[in-house]
Amino acid sequence: MEKNKLRNIPKVDQVLACDELADCFENTEREIVINNVRTVLDEMRAEIIAGEKTEISPVIAAKRAAEKIKSADIPSLRKVINATGIVLHTNLGRARLSQKAAKNALEIAVSYSTLEYDLKSAARGSRHDHIAKLISQITGAEDAVVVNNNAAATLLCLAALFKGKEVLVSRGESVEIGGAFRIPEIMALSGAILKDVGTTNKTHLYDYERAVSRKTGAILKVHTSNYRVIGFQEDVPLRQLAALATAKKLPLIYDMGSGLMVDLREYGIDEPNVENAFENGADIVLFSGDKLLGGPQAGIIAGKKKYIDIIKKNQLARPLRVDKITLAALESTFRSYRDKKQALSEIPVLAMLTAPIDKIRDKAEKFAVSLGKLKADIAVQEETGRIGGGAAPMFDLKSWAVSVVPKEISVDKLERALIDWETPIIARISEEKLLLDMRTVLDSELAAVREALKELL
Ligand SMILES: *Cc1c(COP(=O)(O)O)cnc(C)c1O
């Protein structure tokens, strides 16, 4: 019986002759169509052998192949609607760019540009120059250089300046960020020598003092972005480290992670910002472009010119450098900070983080009402979330969510269906309810979410 069925599997040519594939031939290479047909026939064979009740005919195979070809047309990297409430969701791409940054990136992407051309001298220029002055103006750094991400910034800084030298790091700050970035491993990779000081919970100034020797190249302070040690804890503030570094004639490096440019304390978010880091005496500050800075993925090395000059000339600067599209988006992002009030509204990360809670509640309530009658219980509820992206891990970000409890399908099924939606909608399940957090859903996306729910419920 099985053998009979296997014999019924059509030949490739029979499938290719079916009308169902006619459209595919118009806009897909013949080779790709044939490969997809072969794949479908292989799948059919495997299904029959596995005892599944697969229907077999050239037309059915052609339909399946056409579907495969069509679905391969949908980009793999594509837009989703973030209804998780996590503003810097690393899996969903961290920061959204501002409109200005996106527009500038697009223009530079499709045009020729001054990437390495100096208009004044009509001669070769440097890609670093576009943004260095701007970063200096905003942060107080003397100079800056941009690389692929903060991990690259740390690697390049250590490799260029401290190869073979000891770099002092508190045991309480020997961080891991998302698996791939670990201070001891980055340090080893760079050729610098990690010199642990203090203990996990307490590190004193004298721990650093005692560790300084002729072999010491620098003091590195690392912001404990994604965790906090609480209880019997002490670390040495940047300012005190700066005094020690000056006395010992050592550079003080600060890996601060998020690259915050404004003071968010009035919103309850107590994260260090770049300007303060320089005021407190850091010689070099390293930070990400796509965390609280709110720009594209990048790593910024900012600080004293004498160090930046050496860093720029290191062989690693080239392999770690950023492209023009990133530079364009980053320049526009930094430009927004020339007026910090404006930055709060222009930079999506900041706008979402500082959105008044009443407004979010209002949005949730209006959206819930707009859903009308569905086969589900709809309500709004207060939520407590996280900023995400390894920033302010203890901060409870209050928000409001629309909760959906479907009556005829399971909540898991609804979650799955939303993920499978044309524009995938990423929500969260808590206590058997599907929660759509309104902090991260844009006004312009509400209609799409509504349409999905109306269709599914
Ligand atoms: C996030 C973070 C990094 C890594 O930054 P990427 O831009 O993701 O490479 C390094 N150090 C600290 C302290 C961080 O918070």
Side-chain angles (χ1 to χ4, degrees), residues 353-402:
L353 282 176
T354 60
I357 187 77
D358 292 345
K359 261 199 158 151
I360 300 173
R361 180 185 188 157
D362 197 46
K363 185 160 137 193
E365 278 167 355
K366 287 207 173 103
F367 181 69
V369 170
S370 80
L371 289 173
K373 260 190 100 57
L374 300 179
K375 293 188 200 92
D377 289 325
I378 311 281
V380 299
Q381 66 182 62
E382 195 173 14
E383 276 297 297
T384 303
R386 293 278 174 263
I387 293 176
M394 306 297 283
F395 176 62
D396 290 333
L397 186 60
K398 293 269 180 267
S399 191
W400 281 84
V402 174

Side-chain angles (χ1 to χ4, degrees), residues 94 148-154 175 177 181 183 222-226 255-258 286-291 297-299 389-391:
R94 282 199 187 156
N148 195 38
N149 51 29
N150 194 22
T154 311
V175 311
I177 309 276
F181 180 88
I183 288 291
V222 186
H223 181 46
T224 58
S225 300
N226 53 2
D255 172 11
M256 70 183 310
S258 67
L286 313 165
F287 55 95
S288 288
D290 57 353
K291 289 184 179 173
Q297 180 193 304

Side-chain angles (χ1 to χ4, degrees), residues 15 53 57 184 441 445:
V15 182
K53 290 195 194 90
S57 78
V441 179
E445 293 169 339

